[in-house]
């Protein structure tokens, strides 16, 4: 886990989690643009962040989106209009609701996985600042996976590549994912976890029960790591005073 101690925000409801995390994203974006002229953010996929993206769109006026560059932490190897596409989820929840469009670096889920991974490696090389992402948003799977870095996968030990394609046996599908070095290099990581179905994995992470380190515990970010967890997901861990 992180060298700097992770900050834990336990929120009383999913709505409070989205409100708090949206405010954090917007303030990090304002700070990055003020200090460096741009804001490079990797988006999480899955279902948890959808409500956050809608809230960011509702509060879009608080950020100069013309200076924002959006990346994807991972993508399913499907076309961009497929129901499982993370890009489609982001387009519907955020991009279609923005008046000013950010630069969007989409992972080409429609291409052959290895080709799409190579393409995205080049996209990162050409567009990411030398010191990496300003912010990476991550969700957490019930098995402790982050992005598409799944337990037992060789992708967790790869320190050479920034983007990999991986066949996920448990899902019988190909995925594209940023690797741990990219997430670790980010100035800031935000993990968003909501719902009772995540209570056990949160307990494993925070009570150190994990016999083998979960993918999320393989993170060693150079920057700050903040957890935004709602009360249902935090039900099995001691609540901060
Ligand atoms: C994806 C995500 C993945 C997700 C977790 C949690 O493409 O599915 O990147 O890592 O964050 O699986 O998913 P939920 O938010 O749907 O619970």
């Amino acid at each position: 886990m992180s060298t700097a101690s992770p900050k834990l925000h336990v929120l009383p409801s999913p709505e409070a989690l989205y409100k708090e995390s949206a405010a954090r994203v917007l303030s990090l974006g304002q700070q990055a643009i003020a200090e460096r002229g741009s804001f490079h953010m990797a988006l999480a996929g899955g279902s948890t962040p959808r409500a956050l993206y809608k809230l960011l769109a509702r509060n879009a006026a608080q950020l100069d989106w013309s200076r924002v560059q959006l990346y994807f932490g991972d993508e399913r190897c499907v076309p961009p209009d497929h129901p499982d596409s993370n890009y489609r989820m982001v387009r519907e929840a955020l991009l279609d609701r923005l008046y000013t469009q950010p630069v969007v670096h989409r992972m080409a889920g429609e291409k052959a996985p290895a080709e799409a991974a190579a393409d995205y490696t080049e996209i990162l090389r050409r567009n990411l600042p030398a010191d990496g992402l300003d912010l990476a948003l991550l969700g957490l799977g019930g098995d402790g996976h982050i992005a598409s870095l799944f337990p037992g996968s060789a992708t967790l030990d790869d320190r050479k590549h920034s983007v990999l394609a991986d066949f996920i046996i448990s899902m019988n599908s190909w995925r594209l994912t940023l690797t741990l070095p990219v997430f670790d290099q980010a100035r800031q990581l935000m993990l968003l976890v909501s719902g009772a179905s995540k209570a056990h994995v949160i307990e494993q992470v925070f009570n150190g029960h994990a016999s083998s380190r979960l993918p999320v515990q393989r993170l060693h970010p150079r920057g700050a790591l903040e957890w935004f967890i709602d009360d249902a997901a935090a039900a099995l861990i001691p609540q901060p005073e």
Side-chain angles (χ1 to χ4, degrees):
M1 191 56 94
S2 161
T3 42
S5 59
K7 224 165 163 191
L8 171 61
H9 307 276
V10 177
L11 290 313
S13 66
E15 294 69 25
L17 180 150
Y18 293 121
K19 192 162 174 278
E20 187 87 6
S21 55
R24 190 87 183 98
V25 170
L26 292 166
S27 87
L28 287 169
Q30 291 158 1
Q31 182 187 0
I33 290 167
E35 290 175 3
R36 298 181 292 280
S38 60
F39 180 45
H40 296 257
M41 169 167 63
L43 299 175
S47 55
T48 302
R50 187 195 305 270
L52 164 63
Y53 299 152
K54 288 181 178 174
L55 206 46
L56 290 177
R58 269 209 297 282
N59 294 283
Q62 293 182 36
L63 198 59
D64 179 357
W65 290 88
S66 69
R67 292 180 174 268
V68 175
Q69 299 214 24
L70 296 178
Y71 304 76
F72 284 79
D74 73 326
E75 184 56 280
R76 291 82 182 278
C77 291
V78 294
D81 56 354
H82 190 282
D84 291 349
S85 165
N86 285 334
Y87 171 78
R88 174 171 163 175
M89 181 272 285
V90 167
R91 183 177 54 72
E92 290 171 348
L94 177 62
L95 303 178
D96 287 353
R97 301 162 188 246
L98 290 178
Y99 180 74
T100 304
Q101 286 296 304
V103 172
V104 181
H105 301 295
R106 185 178 68 82
M107 288 182 167
E110 70 279 16
K111 285 188 174 179
E115 185 189 352
D119 288 355
Y120 211 72
T121 301
E122 189 55 18
I123 284 173
L124 293 184
R125 193 186 64 76
R126 288 219 185 105
N127 295 281
L128 261 192
D131 51 3
L133 289 161
D134 293 307
L135 172 62
L137 301 179
L138 287 167
L140 181 66
D143 59 1
H145 79 261
I146 46 172
S148 285
L149 297 166
F150 282 80
S153 171
T155 56
L156 289 164
D157 300 313
D158 188 306
R159 314 300 297 180
K160 288 201 313 288
H161 298 88
S162 53
V163 189
L164 289 170
D166 195 17
F167 184 75
I168 313 302
I169 297 167
S170 59
M171 300 185 154
N172 191 30
S173 62
W174 280 93
R175 294 279 190 98
L176 298 166
T177 188
L178 300 185
T179 56
L180 285 171
V182 179
F183 291 121
D184 284 347
Q185 192 194 19
R187 289 172 185 272
Q188 173 94 31
L189 292 178
M190 282 174 59
L191 274 133
L192 307 173
V193 191
S194 173
S197 68
K198 304 290 172 72
H200 284 286
V201 67
I202 289 294
E203 186 200 20
Q204 269 190 275
V205 171
F206 285 92
N207 289 353
H209 288 186
S211 50
S212 59
R213 282 186 308 158
L214 301 173
V216 66
Q217 293 173 299
R218 301 284 294 270
L219 287 168
H220 289 283
R222 72 178 176 115
L225 187 155
E226 286 187 277
W227 290 84
F228 293 81
I229 307 177
D230 64 16
D231 54 349
L236 300 178
I237 58 172
Q239 299 304 311
E241 294 305 316

